[in-house]
Amino acid sequence: MFSKTLPAEFLGMVRVLPNFPPELAGLEDLAYNLWWAWNPTARFLFRRIHEPTWHLCEGNPVRFINAVHQNDLNNAAKDPDICALYDTVMAQFNEYMSGRKSWYKRQNSPRKGELIAYFSAEYGLHESLPIYSGGLGVLAGDHLKSASDIGLPFIAVGMLYREGYFIQDIDPEGHQRAIYRRLDWNTLPVRPAVNEKGEEVTVTVNLAGRDLHARVWKVQVGRVSLFLLDTDIASNSDTDRRLTSRLYGGDHETRIQQEVLLGVGGIKALRLLGYEPTVFHMNEGHSVFLGLERLREYIHDHGLAFREALEVVRGTSLFTTHTPVPAGNDAFSIQLMEKYFRQYWESIGISRAKFLSLGLDTMPDGSQLFSLTVLALNLSSMANGVSELHGHVSRAMWQHVWPDLPADEIPIRHVTNGIHTRTWLSLDMERLFDKYFELDWRERIEDPAVWSKVDSIPDDELWAVIGKLRFDMIDFIHRRLTKQHIRFGDSPEQIQEWAGIFDKDALTIGFARRFATYKRATLLFRDKERLSRILNNPERPVQIVFAGKAHPADQPGQALIREIQKASKDEAFRGRVLFLENYDINVGRRLVSGVDVWLNNPRRPYEASGTSGMKVPINGGINCSILDGWWVEAYRQNPESGWALGGDIEYEDPNLQDAADAESIYSVLESQIVPLYYDRDERGLPVRWLRRVRESMKTVGPQFSTSRMVENYAEMFYFAGSSRYTLLTANRFERACRNAEWRDRVRGAWPSIRIHSHVEPHDGDGITVRVREKIEIVADVELGAIDPDDVSVQIYVAPLYQSCTGRNFRGGTIPMHPDGRSESGAHRYRGSLLEGDSGKYGFTVRVVPKHPDLVHPNEMGLMAWAQPNR
């Protein structure tokens, strides 16, 4: 028996782990690989071993193997059904880990030594590892899972935050309280990272003259290893030990220290672990200092000059920007950069001015800051936004980095985000797919033919699963609300009332995301009387569940939460509107699988992509969204896949935009969504609604998966970057050195280029021709010291009017061909302009650099334009 009186202070602590019977010997390795997070059969195995312990451990296998009793394990090992299930799961796990049938292995010529290193400040892999705040981290987690699924040679680097992101408590008035709790190491799927000798790894990073030490931990995500940096070790000062306590906590100085650790320390960790990546992918600018550390390596360890090292770093770096709002991009004062990087630029032999020029950005008020996004763009030859629209926004937003280029030719491409389908697919819907889809559907998530099989699912079976998912979600809401109102000190009668909130048969709308003001969480309440009429129609009731966290420093975002909490108590909305606290992966998984409609109404174009809405259709829900981010592409592909709010347009007046978008929400609800949902046939089935459910599944399921997304990254960036790495580092960096010399020579001589066009307008209105009638254009180009083989001379033509969205149509180019020399000795070029449609066009001649090793034809930002004839 245990003593009832415990000593005030223990001499030590002992952690006792069970002995796994031979029949279940692989359980520990299985628990420490997050493969179980997207394989329900693996989770079911742990549950079958001892269900009470599984529920007590909240579905966390690592916590489970630390808590399960030895007798329960021994009894499970004697149960033939459990042993058979164990054998099945381990066979699936081992086959998966072998990677024999992966997409990468099926490629024609996998590159030897290819390895992609992915850096992110946060990762949302599972609620048991709370080192994420929202969409950016969840996307990173899904990226790793799909990289594992398709078999990419892939590793990742991040930070292990001892207190994670905050736990959100909401009081009765809707005030958000941020609670931080120290993570229990015994419940996390992390182990110390070890080198080839089996030694645990610690890195040291210089921070403004002092040494910061960080231990490296490893998380196994299927086939992908994620390495996390942790400064809470005895060799650091108390202040430095707290550096990795919280995600996005502290002031600017804390932020720059964390980002130096992530970038510089991350590179050092990979080197100590024996990795030599061929491509480095920066997920947002938080990790951009990894590029500076790579420069230092090439300069110090390989004897390259700065320009030569930059050639290698740029050619093998990919930067993904997620932020269409200028204020959302990290930038530091010049003084702070000097404090942390003076020693750096001195050590690599470049001037202060040259270093600062890599990231200097001028603010609207004329002041200058060091922008991590500008630095990332200057250190990467590959860059992308996260949706087609966000690509347009990013090119316009960062055009000043390439001031001579038209916005639509800025070298920022796009890869639209996706979701890891099996993580977000409910078990009930997965079982339905197993019944009607082809056997290998899990390996072909991105294949439209897989999703076409939803048409074969009978209406009654599909509606039954959708109904069960809604019931399960509402039961979950009831349990959460009961705990919340017990904490409030409500009476039993009040708690009972909240425990019965929401009708399990009513149309249910979900709105859950980060509570930033541009996402307009309270737009729906702009006309409260009209909204009340929609929600409280006794024949066609509607209910709305809200969830989301506002950053602890974001007071306007927190005010939105208070407004919704207040509305939920209003008689006009009581029982029809609620706010669910502490939005995380667990809550998100419940909501996206249970709602009928997912509402999204950001202020366009500030939603870079958004991924929460992608998780809804695979579970039988439908999107109703502003045409922003990913939804522009989905709705354009198939308008029957959901509902569009507002138009394909941006407003200059935000109040006008809010009024128009709110009107659109009410109108779409009243005239389309609510009537369609409650339109039932003689069997009580909403046949037309289910038709739209299927269209939504077929559109979103294949196109907006991270399987498709990661394959896009591989084909657009990773494979080419790895080939460049091999090319640039071969023969003691011969190609890198030659390319660097070429860049310097061309850049230095570029100002001497002069273009003299031989085309003169006949009058002030220009030349008039018929459609498909040729215009011959001749240009004499003075190239100075530049070789003609190093440039491309082009006719540039663009419409001289705007589209209805207010954006210029894209310009086009026509190559011009050498035609000897002019009388003055200039290089002469000829080309033909042949317009295929009527309209008014402007045209000119320009010169751009040309080299086979340029990743993007405009990456140097050099463009010489013909001066108009006067």
Side-chain angles (χ1 to χ4, degrees):
M1 292 182 62
F2 292 106
S3 169
K4 294 182 180 180
T5 304
L6 299 176
E9 186 172 333
F10 291 102
L11 294 176
M13 184 187 74
V14 176
R15 179 184 172 207
V16 181
L17 296 176
N19 290 312
F20 294 97
E23 295 84 354
L24 305 173
L27 277 183
E28 186 170 4
D29 285 342
L30 188 63
Y32 276 92
N33 190 318
L34 281 163
W35 177 80
W36 51 258
W38 66 95
N39 285 273
T41 309
R43 298 194 299 275
F44 183 63
L45 169 62
F46 289 103
R47 177 179 173 179
R48 282 282 284 113
I49 289 172
H50 196 256
E51 188 162 355
T53 304
W54 177 249
H55 289 306
L56 182 67
C57 294
E58 299 177 320
N60 178 347
V62 174
R63 190 173 164 190
F64 176 87
I65 65 170
N66 277 272
V68 66
H69 288 206
Q70 185 68 56
N71 284 342
D72 295 326
L73 279 178
N74 294 340
N75 290 336
K78 299 173 184 176
D79 186 321
D81 292 336
I82 293 177
C83 289
L85 177 61
Y86 169 84
D87 291 340
T88 298
V89 169
M90 293 307 296
Q92 293 172 349
F93 178 60
N94 292 330
E95 174 63 23
Y96 177 90
M97 293 300 291
S98 74
R100 286 189 294 266
K101 299 178 182 178
S102 68
W103 174 86
Y104 183 74
K105 285 288 178 67
R106 296 196 303 269
Q107 298 307 293
N108 292 330
S109 55
R111 283 138 288 272
K112 184 178 180 181
E114 186 166 53
L115 181 63
I116 298 96
Y118 182 91
F119 281 63
S120 181
E122 52 174 300
Y123 291 90
L125 294 158
H126 188 261
E127 60 267 25
S128 63
L129 187 61
I131 56 172
Y132 62 94
S133 69
L136 179 72
V138 172
L139 173 77
D142 282 7
H143 195 124
L144 266 58
K145 292 171 184 176
S146 281
S148 171
D149 286 344
I150 71 175
L152 276 181
F154 201 91
I155 53 176
V157 177
M159 309 262 273
L160 185 53
Y161 305 97
R162 290 276 180 152
E163 296 177 3
Y165 199 51
F166 72 93
I167 297 168
Q168 180 196 54
D169 268 6
I170 301 297
D171 73 10
E173 284 69 48
H175 294 93
Q176 173 180 283
R177 186 165 64 112
I179 299 173
Y180 292 91
R181 293 175 185 159
R182 192 171 174 82
L183 300 178
D184 181 358
W185 245 225
N186 296 334
T187 68
L188 300 182
V190 300
R191 286 169 160 168
V194 296
N195 60 21
E196 294 176 349
K197 298 179 180 178
E199 302 164 335
E200 295 186 10
V201 171
T202 301
V203 300
T204 301
V205 174
N206 183 274
L207 282 181
R210 75 179 190 276
D211 283 341
L212 173 73
H213 308 287
R215 189 180 185 184
V216 185
W217 297 86
K218 179 181 177 182
V219 177
Q220 197 63 39
V221 186
R223 304 177 183 116
V224 169
S225 295
L226 166 62
F227 300 102
L228 302 174
L229 303 171
D230 166 32
T231 64
D232 189 13
I233 56 179
S235 54
N236 285 328
S237 67
D238 288 345
T239 300
D240 284 345
R241 292 186 72 158
R242 291 192 294 271
L243 185 60
T244 53
S245 290
R246 297 178 180 178
L247 174 61
Y248 302 142
D251 55 14
H252 273 76
E253 189 132 12
T254 300
R255 189 67 163 257
I256 196 172
Q257 290 175 3
Q258 287 184 332
E259 292 173 342
V260 169
L261 175 62
L262 175 60
V264 177
I267 293 294
K268 289 177 177 288
L270 293 184
R271 302 308 187 209
L272 290 173
L273 290 165
Y275 291 106
E276 185 66 36
T278 53
V279 174
F280 291 81
H281 185 173
M282 295 173 281
N283 188 43
E284 258 305 347
H286 309 116
S287 60
V288 67
F289 295 138
L290 73 84
L292 299 181
E293 176 61 13
R294 293 185 66 209
L295 285 172
R296 187 200 63 77
E297 287 183 332
Y298 287 123
I299 293 169
H300 283 196
D301 301 344
H302 298 282
L304 299 187
F306 175 79
R307 66 178 189 178
E308 297 162 348
L310 185 59
E311 187 73 16
V312 183
V313 170
R314 291 189 74 258
T316 56
S317 295
L318 167 62
F319 169 59
T320 298
T321 175
H322 295 260
T323 312
V325 185
N329 292 267
D330 276 357
F332 298 114
S333 69
I334 304 303
Q335 292 77 13
L336 207 55
M337 291 303 298
E338 287 180 324
K339 177 178 179 179
Y340 285 95
F341 286 95
R342 176 181 295 277
Q343 186 179 18
Y344 172 82
W345 73 64
E346 290 174 349
S347 73
I348 64 171
I350 63 172
S351 67
R352 172 185 181 274
K354 190 171 188 66
F355 174 82
L356 292 177
S357 70
L358 293 171
L360 211 57
D361 201 14
T362 302
M363 301 296 105
D365 63 1
S367 63
Q368 289 187 315
L369 293 175
F370 192 92
S371 165
L372 298 197
T373 300
V374 173
L375 177 63
L377 292 170
N378 282 325
L379 294 183
S380 306
S381 64
M382 303 173 284
N384 73 283
V386 289
S387 69
E388 183 179 350
L389 178 59
H390 183 233
H392 289 298
V393 171
S394 297
R395 286 187 287 275
M397 186 173 174
W398 300 106
Q399 186 177 10
H400 62 279
V401 180
W402 298 271
D404 292 336
L405 273 58
D408 59 11
E409 295 190 69
I410 297 299
I412 300 176
R413 303 171 70 183
H414 82 272
V415 176
T416 302
N417 282 345
I419 61 164
H420 186 257
T421 304
R422 294 196 60 200
T423 291
W424 299 100
L425 182 64
S426 63
L427 182 58
D428 292 286
M429 195 63 74
E430 185 171 354
R431 287 170 175 163
L432 190 63
F433 291 172
D434 280 336
K435 186 175 179 181
Y436 290 98
F437 284 15
E438 295 173 359
L439 291 176
D440 64 345
W441 67 268
R442 291 175 179 82
E443 285 72 50
R444 297 165 50 218
I445 293 291
E446 72 282 11
D447 184 353
V450 166
W451 295 89
S452 67
K453 297 297 183 182
V454 299
D455 289 334
S456 65
I457 303 175
D459 285 343
D460 57 343
E461 292 189 48
L462 181 57
W463 185 239
V465 170
I466 291 172
K468 181 180 183 302
L469 292 174
R470 190 188 318 107
F471 290 4
D472 291 346
M473 177 194 70
I474 293 175
D475 283 342
F476 172 78
I477 289 172
H478 289 165
R479 293 194 299 272
R480 294 290 289 253
L481 286 177
T482 297
K483 291 181 180 178
Q484 186 174 339
H485 286 274
I486 288 173
R487 192 181 74 241
F488 291 168
D490 286 359
S491 67
E493 293 77 18
Q494 291 172 314
I495 292 170
Q496 186 63 35
E497 180 183 350
W498 283 104
I501 196 172
F502 269 28
D503 181 345
K504 293 185 177 181
D505 293 313
L507 171 63
T508 305
I509 298 173
F511 183 104
R513 54 194 35 88
R514 183 167 55 91
F515 263 59
T517 52
Y518 77 86
K519 293 179 182 286
R520 301 188 296 182
T522 57
L523 184 63
L524 197 61
F525 297 94
R526 191 176 177 94
D527 186 338
K528 293 183 178 178
E529 289 186 9
R530 190 173 178 184
L531 177 62
S532 178
R533 290 196 298 272
I534 294 171
L535 301 186
N536 292 298
N537 184 327
E539 302 299 321
R540 303 187 306 191
V542 180
Q543 53 204 15
I544 309 172
V545 55
F546 290 87
K549 295 178 179 180
H551 188 279
D554 182 3
Q555 294 304 318
Q558 293 179 43
L560 298 178
I561 296 175
R562 291 195 294 275
E563 185 176 343
I564 293 171
Q565 182 76 345
K566 180 180 178 182
S568 72
K569 297 181 177 182
D570 191 311
E571 282 303 316
F573 304 115
R574 191 172 182 86
R576 295 295 176 201
V577 172
L578 65 85
F579 185 91
L580 200 60
E581 67 181 0
N582 201 32
Y583 183 48
D584 63 1
I585 287 177
N586 181 36
V587 173
R589 194 166 51 238
R590 302 281 188 160
L591 295 184
V592 299
S593 66
V595 299
D596 299 296
V597 173
W598 194 255
L599 179 65
N600 189 31
N601 47 244
R603 181 172 283 117
R604 178 182 161 124
Y606 296 140
E607 184 85 289
S609 177
T611 56
S612 61
M614 302 174 186
K615 300 159 187 169
V616 176
I618 61 174
N619 290 296
I622 310 175
N623 278 276
C624 175
S625 177
I626 295 290
L627 285 170
D628 200 5
W630 76 280
W631 184 240
V632 178
E633 299 165 54
Y635 188 77
R636 183 176 59 210
Q637 181 180 333
N638 182 3
E640 295 300 311
S641 63
W643 294 276
L645 299 174
D648 192 7
I649 187 171
E650 285 96 55
Y651 292 78
E652 292 186 6
D653 183 347
N655 291 321
L656 180 61
Q657 184 173 7
D658 289 353
D661 290 343
E663 170 60 33
S664 181
I665 294 174
Y666 300 135
S667 176
V668 169
L669 282 171
E670 291 167 336
S671 65
Q672 299 181 53
I673 295 177
V674 177
L676 188 67
Y677 181 84
Y678 285 103
D679 178 22
R680 308 296 169 92
D681 68 3
E682 64 280 0
R683 298 170 296 169
L685 297 176
V687 175
R688 292 197 304 134
W689 180 273
L690 292 174
R691 188 177 306 137
R692 193 172 285 255
V693 166
R694 291 187 176 90
E695 291 301 313
S696 182
M697 280 187 177
K698 289 188 291 185
T699 301
V700 178
Q703 183 60 25
F704 298 95
S705 72
T706 41
S707 293
R708 184 273 311 156
M709 181 191 82
V710 178
E711 288 175 13
N712 284 173
Y713 274 114
E715 293 167 339
M716 292 171 61
F717 300 119
Y718 295 159
F719 295 162
S722 289
S723 297
R724 274 193 301 279
Y725 177 85
T726 301
L727 190 72
L728 294 172
T729 59
N731 300 322
R732 306 173 96 176
F733 302 92
E734 178 186 359
R735 189 74 164 261
C737 296
R738 194 165 68 239
N739 288 356
E741 187 278 330
W742 177 85
R743 284 180 191 265
D744 276 5
R745 177 168 50 80
V746 170
R747 193 177 294 280
W750 199 257
S752 65
I753 294 178
R754 298 290 183 272
I755 306 170
H756 307 281
S757 172
H758 286 206
V759 177
E760 295 183 1
H762 295 301
D763 53 48
D765 291 330
I767 302 170
T768 300
V769 295
R770 298 289 181 180
V771 171
R772 307 299 296 174
E773 186 177 342
K774 285 186 179 181
I775 303 172
E776 297 293 333
I777 300 175
V778 179
D780 293 338
V781 183
E782 298 176 13
L783 291 174
I786 298 177
D787 191 290
D789 290 338
D790 293 335
V791 298
S792 175
V793 182
Q794 305 166 341
I795 300 169
Y796 179 83
V797 58
L800 292 180
Y801 54 86
Q802 292 184 320
S803 69
C804 61
T805 65
R807 285 193 297 275
N808 286 321
F809 282 109
R810 294 172 62 89
T813 59
I814 302 167
M816 301 187 75
H817 306 289
D819 188 31
R821 297 265 190 162
S822 69
E823 293 178 0
S824 65
H827 296 274
R828 175 159 288 179
Y829 293 84
R830 290 185 181 272
S832 298
L833 176 60
L834 185 71
E835 276 304 329
D837 202 355
S838 57
K840 191 173 183 180
Y841 298 85
F843 64 89
T844 186
V845 175
R846 71 186 192 184
V847 178
V848 297
K850 182 179 68 176
H851 191 279
D853 288 353
L854 288 178
V855 177
H856 188 286
N858 296 334
E859 69 175 83
M860 291 180 69
L862 298 177
M863 197 167 280
W865 297 87
Q867 296 301 309
N869 293 318
R870 302 296 183 189

